[in-house]
Amino acid sequence: MCGIVAGVSNKNVVSVLVEGLQRLEYRGYDSCGVAVYSAHAQMGQLAGLQRARSTQRVAELKAQVAGDVPEQRLEGSLGIAHTRWATHGAPVVHNAHPHFSAKWAPGFGAQSSDASVSSAASVQIGLVHNGIIENYEEIKARLTLSGYVFMSQTDTEVVAHLIHSHYAGDLMKALQASLIELKGAYALAVICDQEPGRLVGARQGSPLVLGVGGAAHEQTGFAGHFLASDAMALAGVTPGFVFLSEGDQVDLSVTQYTIVNGEGERVEREVRAMEAYTQGAQLGPYQHYMQKEIFEQPQAIADTLEGVQGMVPDLFDAHRGAERPSRTASGVFAEIDRVLILACGTSYYSGLTAKYWLESLAQLPTNVEVASEYRYRDSVPHPNTLVVCISQSGETADTLAALKHAQSLGMKHTLTICNVASSAMVRECALAYVTRAGVEVGVASTKAFTTQLAALFLLTLVLAKVKSRLSASEEARHLQALRHLPAALQAVLALEPLVMSWAEDFAAKENALFLGRGLHYPIALEGALKLKEITYIHAEAYPAGELKHGPLALVTQDMPIVTVAPNDVLLEKLKSNMQEVRARGGVLYVLADQGTHIQSEEGLHVIRMPEHYGELSPLLHVVPLQLLAYHTALKRGTDVDKPRNLAKSVTVE
């Protein structure tokens, strides 16, 4: 993985490709590249497929392809581009995409002097790939025996050589023959120097979007068709988008496109008009996107809850995928008697929080599974389960695979809570709630998490009402609390200067513990995740009652211990756990509600929260933990928005 942009057009597409990569930069990557077909020698390369690759930012790649004189530029009306997050092979230039194939002629522009070499040797294939090819070693061994020379350690290069081995004058047929042999996940965009007006692609387990623009765009003048892993890469370039379905293959030229499904049948897919939504990705007055997104949370929550007047099931009907059977939330919710939540990372912690709500308020047994583990173990399915998938992007490969596994076990009642209305997860689930958090660029999720919590609380209340476990007075009280959330979050954000003083201490540490109890244990988990993601400080979280069962052995004055201390029924228990830490010389950093009677003193640092917020308290307590991670990262000089080794949208297993 990470990002794909490709196009066949009436004009030079390099600027579109590079700008598309820049729009996808926030997802994280370690190398990037672009390749085009040119009938003329450019950048010191022979006519045909030409490329530039870099292990730096896309801006450096842009400088490479925009030479001062025409001969130094990379130009072409057919091209592919990619940002890579390494899975196979180190992040070095020779492993960067695009990858080329030419039998007995490895590397760009190489010419064979052997007269006996087949004419196929002169054919060159170029491609970009998101996903993982699981059987690449087997195919690589076979192709090596056939004479193919591998220039990288990637699984992707295998696909380039495989398509080349099947090529007999028709690129689409060569791609289709190759797909039969591949096992794993892929989104592919492929070009060939023998067919300079043709771009082909396919998707299986990894997202791919078709940008439809056969006629000249009224603003850009571009006519043609494009492929991308995310529609945002093509915003403003094409007026319409087709979100390709699993197994789809596409054949594109400047003037037309054809879509074939996994069974080899020509199909029509809905073309959707989308606004150019790049504004949300602008940094504005903030130093980093993570900072911007932390401070956007009051507005994001307001947008997520806009229009919510009461706890009615049809809140979860509004964004149902057009390709799914038409089942109303009312019908689904009446049938279910338990909940299964599938998610990864931060979304998993929002699911853990929701478990407390669902079991206490809606009285529904709830199981929360790490999506990457769920499908690889034996479980006991139940047909009356509501399967809830949570994802910021809606393209998380592990969660999509877990969803399909649950469906294969006969659990048909599916719902997603997601931030992207056009995502695969929204299309796959019968029901959905789109959180409307806006574009989230920082790899460490912030506003996506709190808006997920808001949506999950809504779901809890709706289910409680459907099951006759929510009175009218309780519904009114919870609605009032939800409406007050944006103002409450603003008050918490005003605590930033106090959190910054904590960050001074944390910046010099290499380990930290986070403690919480009950509803706030998942918030401690999320706080530890944020700290480790962007500061590279090792951090763990525990239920505070578990201290004496092992973690107390780690407590010293050099181990800061963050404690989430709401004014709830577990407060006195939590205070006892804090005394266990104090007795062993530990230093506590406590987020305490009003009325907890926890005061600052030597070895005990307290930030007082503006108010206790009952069941919705997790949404407030997580914000200072986000700020703590952010300001500690600033002090340590790490890359806040693009932490090492991580990507924003994890579209491979």
Side-chain angles (χ1 to χ4, degrees):
M1 66 180 202
C2 213
I4 287 174
V5 191
V8 54
S9 179
N10 63 330
K11 299 170 66 175
N12 177 26
V13 295
V14 172
S15 62
V16 173
L17 302 182
V18 174
E19 183 178 342
L21 293 186
Q22 288 181 313
R23 293 180 182 179
L24 299 179
E25 266 191 299
Y26 75 94
R27 290 174 176 261
Y29 67 98
D30 48 50
S31 59
C32 54
V34 59
V36 300
Y37 171 80
S38 176
H40 310 288
Q42 297 179 132
M43 295 183 68
Q45 303 178 38
L46 300 178
L49 298 188
Q50 304 167 350
R51 70 182 166 192
R53 298 183 288 180
S54 174
T55 56
Q56 305 301 313
R57 296 293 188 213
V58 175
E60 195 276 337
L61 178 70
K62 185 176 183 179
Q64 272 195 60
V65 302
D68 294 332
V69 296
E71 292 77 13
Q72 296 174 340
R73 297 174 194 150
L74 192 66
E75 295 181 345
S77 58
L78 171 70
I80 53 179
H82 190 265
T83 53
R84 176 178 185 253
W85 185 82
T87 57
H88 296 71
V92 294
V93 169
H94 67 264
N95 286 331
H97 300 214
H99 286 285
F100 287 174
S101 175
K103 198 171 185 180
W104 296 291
F108 172 77
Q111 300 295 314
S112 173
S113 58
D114 187 346
S116 66
V117 171
S118 162
S119 61
S122 64
V123 175
Q124 195 157 43
I125 303 293
L127 66 76
V128 291
H129 163 229
N130 280 354
I132 292 178
I133 305 303
E134 295 174 357
N135 61 334
Y136 83 100
E137 290 176 320
E138 169 193 332
I139 298 172
K140 181 176 182 178
R142 188 179 79 240
L143 291 171
T144 300
L145 289 175
S146 298
Y148 285 90
V149 178
F150 286 79
M151 308 299 289
S152 77
Q153 289 77 50
T154 68
D155 55 335
T156 298
E157 191 180 5
V158 167
V159 186
H161 290 321
L162 184 62
I163 294 172
H164 185 278
S165 73
H166 286 292
Y167 187 79
D170 188 318
L171 185 58
M172 188 63 171
K173 289 182 178 179
L175 173 64
Q176 291 172 328
S178 300
L179 296 181
I180 295 171
E181 301 184 49
L182 299 180
K183 296 178 183 178
Y186 51 78
L188 295 165
V190 190
I191 58 177
C192 176
D193 63 350
Q194 304 300 301
E195 301 179 63
R198 193 178 199 186
L199 169 66
V200 302
R203 68 150 298 192
Q204 181 73 43
S206 195
L208 194 63
V209 177
L210 164 62
V212 179
H217 192 282
E218 61 181 15
Q219 294 179 332
T220 66
F222 276 103
H225 294 94
F226 297 82
L227 293 173
S229 51
D230 188 316
M232 190 169 76
L234 301 174
V237 176
T238 61
F241 295 90
V242 175
F243 294 88
L244 298 172
S245 297
E246 194 79 344
D248 278 357
Q249 303 149 24
V250 290
D251 191 351
L252 313 179
S253 68
V254 174
T255 58
Q256 61 187 13
Y257 69 90
T258 302
I259 303 175
V260 176
N261 66 17
E263 286 70 50
E265 304 163 330
R266 184 168 177 171
V267 294
E268 299 293 329
R269 301 287 187 215
E270 178 188 5
V271 179
R272 305 185 188 183
M274 294 183 64
E275 296 180 3
Y277 56 108
T278 58
Q279 183 61 39
Q282 301 304 311
L283 189 57
Y286 296 95
Q287 189 175 354
H288 296 93
Y289 284 105
M290 184 180 179
Q291 181 190 29
K292 173 178 183 280
E293 288 150 11
I294 289 171
F295 280 86
E296 284 178 338
Q297 286 176 112
Q299 185 60 54
I301 292 288
D303 291 342
T304 293
L305 299 176
E306 185 180 3
V308 175
Q309 301 298 322
M311 298 302 113
V312 290
D314 64 10
L315 288 170
F316 296 87
D317 286 330
H319 300 282
R320 189 169 57 249
E323 299 174 20
R324 305 300 302 161
S326 180
R327 298 204 68 224
T328 66
S330 294
V332 170
F333 292 167
E335 292 181 31
I336 64 104
D337 58 18
R338 64 197 65 201
V339 178
L340 169 64
I341 297 175
L342 304 172
C344 300
T346 286
S347 296
Y348 173 69
Y349 297 146
S350 72
L352 288 179
T353 307
K355 175 182 172 72
Y356 287 91
W357 290 331
L358 286 161
E359 294 195 336
S360 65
L361 299 177
Q363 298 173 38
L364 287 170
T366 300
N367 191 23
V368 187
E369 295 270 2
V370 175
S372 59
E373 291 290 324
Y374 170 67
R375 64 179 171 135
Y376 294 114
R377 71 172 187 85
D378 294 330
S379 58
V380 182
H382 192 286
N384 293 338
T385 299
L386 177 65
V387 179
V388 179
C389 298
I390 311 172
S391 170
Q392 188 282 137
S393 67
E395 305 289 352
T396 308
D398 287 319
T399 309
L400 282 167
L403 166 64
K404 292 173 184 177
H405 178 66
Q407 291 170 326
S408 74
L409 296 177
M411 292 185 282
K412 63 182 179 180
H413 304 311
T414 58
L415 180 153
T416 185
I417 290 174
C418 175
N419 190 34
V420 182
S422 58
S423 65
M425 212 165 289
V426 171
R427 298 195 302 274
E428 284 289 333
C429 288
L431 306 172
Y433 195 95
V434 176
T435 55
R436 300 172 68 192
V439 176
E440 188 179 67
V441 174
V443 168
S445 182
T446 52
K447 64 178 180 176
F449 179 71
T450 48
T451 53
Q452 285 171 358
L453 289 178
L456 286 162
F457 192 73
L458 276 179
L459 175 64
T460 299
L461 297 181
V462 169
L463 289 172
K465 187 172 182 178
V466 168
K467 303 299 181 183
S468 300
R469 293 159 188 162
L470 183 72
S471 68
S473 61
E474 289 172 326
E475 179 179 354
R477 177 175 65 84
H478 289 309
L479 270 174
Q480 179 57 32
L482 285 168
R483 293 190 184 107
H484 182 57
L485 264 177
L489 283 167
Q490 288 286 10
V492 175
L493 287 168
L495 300 173
E496 184 182 28
L498 300 176
V499 177
M500 291 169 68
S501 68
W502 283 12
E504 294 277 355
D505 296 343
F506 276 72
K509 306 298 183 183
E510 294 302 327
N511 301 280
L513 285 177
F514 287 70
L515 302 177
R517 293 203 73 143
L519 187 60
H520 294 79
Y521 166 51
I523 301 307
L525 287 165
E526 173 63 7
L529 177 62
K530 285 293 150 290
L531 192 70
K532 71 182 75 171
E533 278 182 311
I534 64 170
T535 70
Y536 316 143
I537 294 172
H538 171 245
E540 294 187 65
Y542 288 92
E546 286 295 295
L547 270 175
K548 53 188 172 292
H549 298 293
L552 270 177
L554 299 173
V555 173
T556 70
Q557 62 181 2
D558 295 321
M559 172 77 79
I561 298 173
V562 181
T563 306
V564 182
N567 192 6
D568 60 15
V569 295
L570 289 171
L571 176 62
E572 295 307 317
K573 298 287 186 184
L574 182 64
K575 286 182 176 179
S576 296
N577 302 139
M578 291 166 56
Q579 289 302 323
E580 293 168 357
V581 172
R582 297 292 307 284
R584 288 154 181 86
V587 180
L588 286 162
Y589 295 79
V590 184
L591 295 172
D593 280 350
Q594 301 289 341
T596 55
H597 305 295
I598 302 172
Q599 303 296 329
S600 293
E601 56 185 86
E602 183 69 26
L604 176 60
H605 308 277
V606 179
I607 290 179
R608 190 79 55 200
M609 299 290 287
E611 58 184 308
H612 177 56
Y613 219 63
E615 293 91 347
L616 288 169
S617 175
L619 281 87
L620 302 190
H621 275 275
V622 76
V623 174
L625 301 182
Q626 296 169 349
L627 288 168
L628 176 62
Y630 172 72
H631 285 290
T632 304
L634 284 186
K635 296 292 182 184
R636 289 171 68 93
T638 60
D639 192 336
V640 173
D641 290 329
K642 300 182 180 70
R644 68 188 182 201
N645 303 333
L646 299 179
K648 182 64 180 174
S649 182
V650 185
T651 57
V652 297
E653 183 180 1

